[in-house]
Amino acid sequence: MSRRDDILAGLEAKRADGRAIIGAGAGTGISAKFLHQGGADLIFIYNSGRFRMQGLSSWVGHLPFGDANAIVMEMGEREVMPVVPDANVIAGVCGFDPTRRMSHFLPNVVEAGFAGVINYPTVAVIDGRMRADLEAGGLGFDKEVGMIRIASGLGLVTTAYVATPDEAVAMIGAGVDMIVAHMGLTVGGAIGAQHAIAMDEAVKGVAAIAEASRKARSDVFVVAHGGPIAGPADAEKLFKLVEVDGFVGASSMERLPIEEPLRANTFAFTQLRTR
């Protein structure tokens, strides 16, 4: 059995048992270590994770403040995988990167030891005029679909962020293993989304993507991410309303859980007196 087959078999066993599949984004080695110890099935590395753990918005990962693919390779090889060698680490690959040929770049992802890929940064979260201009300029979602198709052929576990049912169907056509229904930047904390959709809208959005995905291929994994789904209670509420297989979090896994404890712990120290 290949590594990919082994991972997918483990995920299928959880699904069959009614247990949530959990993916967690790590921006540092220490985050990855304890996310893995906490039981995350997949550890995702995005360029935005590095920026997020610098105290910056995850949106920075979509802007020209570094080479997204180079950052992820460095994070994986030098910061994360040496700390969690037994984890299933997924590389956030910018599939519409015009400076790289994915057919040449993705074998490097395999050689580095990543278990799989996800399309990140992704134009799926961009809309309006900018999205139209990206698509017209050859920097569109089809490039991400092509990346997933190549990655699937290389034996990598393939996961894909999508924002619409049509995007989900396109990724399934490329052979993706897991659809991640992206509901936008995660709310909460110091740098979370200020204009996220409401939970009822997220429920409808995830449900529409899940339905289209399963019509396209019944065995595809479908999980949710982002927007108002910011904590375990939010995910539990979603699971009661929509048939999905789990949740992938980033800010909800490593930023929100530490913001207040860090502040409170430091404040407690500052209240001490030496005499």
Side-chain angles (χ1 to χ4, degrees):
M1 180 180 288
S2 69
R3 183 183 185 186
R4 173 179 175 273
D5 290 341
D6 187 54
I7 292 170
L8 295 179
L11 298 180
E12 180 56 46
K14 289 195 74 173
R15 173 163 64 180
D17 194 40
R19 292 177 293 148
I21 294 167
I22 300 298
T28 65
I30 193 168
S31 294
K33 175 182 285 190
F34 292 103
L35 292 169
H36 181 52
Q37 289 184 13
D41 299 295
L42 305 171
I43 302 293
F44 290 85
I45 302 180
Y46 317 107
N47 69 321
S48 64
R50 171 171 287 180
F51 294 122
R52 180 172 57 250
M53 297 310 284
Q54 292 174 353
L56 304 171
S57 168
S58 295
W59 268 113
V60 176
H62 278 78
L63 298 171
F65 302 121
D67 182 336
N69 286 324
I71 288 171
V72 164
M73 292 296 285
E74 180 186 8
M75 288 174 66
E77 291 188 284
R78 302 192 63 186
E79 299 175 27
V80 172
M81 287 190 284
V83 178
V84 287
D86 299 326
N88 301 317
V89 182
I90 308 298
V93 174
C94 181
F96 60 96
D97 180 350
T99 70
R100 286 181 173 83
R101 292 174 291 174
M102 287 295 120
S103 59
H104 288 63
F105 175 67
L106 289 174
N108 296 329
V109 173
V110 176
E111 185 178 356
F114 286 98
V117 298
I118 190 167
N119 56 323
Y120 191 92
T122 173
V123 299
V125 298
I126 300 172
D127 55 18
R129 178 177 175 179
M130 184 174 181
R131 175 67 179 272
D133 286 346
L134 287 170
E135 295 286 350
L139 301 171
F141 193 74
D142 64 309
K143 299 295 185 183
E144 300 178 33
V145 173
M147 182 274 288
I148 291 296
R149 181 175 288 109
I150 295 170
S152 182
L154 292 172
L156 288 161
V157 174
T158 52
T159 63
Y161 277 129
V162 304
T164 68
D166 287 345
E167 290 172 352
V169 171
M171 282 295 188
I172 290 169
V176 78
D177 299 308
M178 177 182 290
I179 292 293
V180 186
H182 200 306
M183 295 295 107
L185 190 68
T186 303
V187 302
I191 53 176
Q194 301 299 313
H195 307 289
I197 61 175
M199 178 60 86
D200 60 343
E201 293 181 77
V203 167
K204 292 177 182 177
V206 173
I209 289 170
E211 181 180 5
S213 297
R214 294 195 178 103
K215 282 184 178 179
R217 198 177 80 230
S218 61
D219 66 341
V220 69
F221 294 99
V222 182
V223 299
H225 169 84
I229 315 164
D234 303 316
E236 184 178 32
K237 180 177 180 179
L238 178 77
F239 296 160
K240 290 178 179 178
L241 298 171
V242 184
E243 185 181 347
V244 290
D245 302 312
F247 175 74
V248 169
S251 290
S252 57
M253 294 290 185
E254 70 169 352
R255 175 178 65 81
L256 292 174
I258 68 168
E259 285 187 4
E260 179 55 26
L262 283 175
R263 186 208 64 78
N265 185 64
T266 304
F267 182 75
F269 272 107
T270 66
Q271 302 309 295
L272 300 177
R273 296 179 62 86
T274 58
R275 60 176 62 86

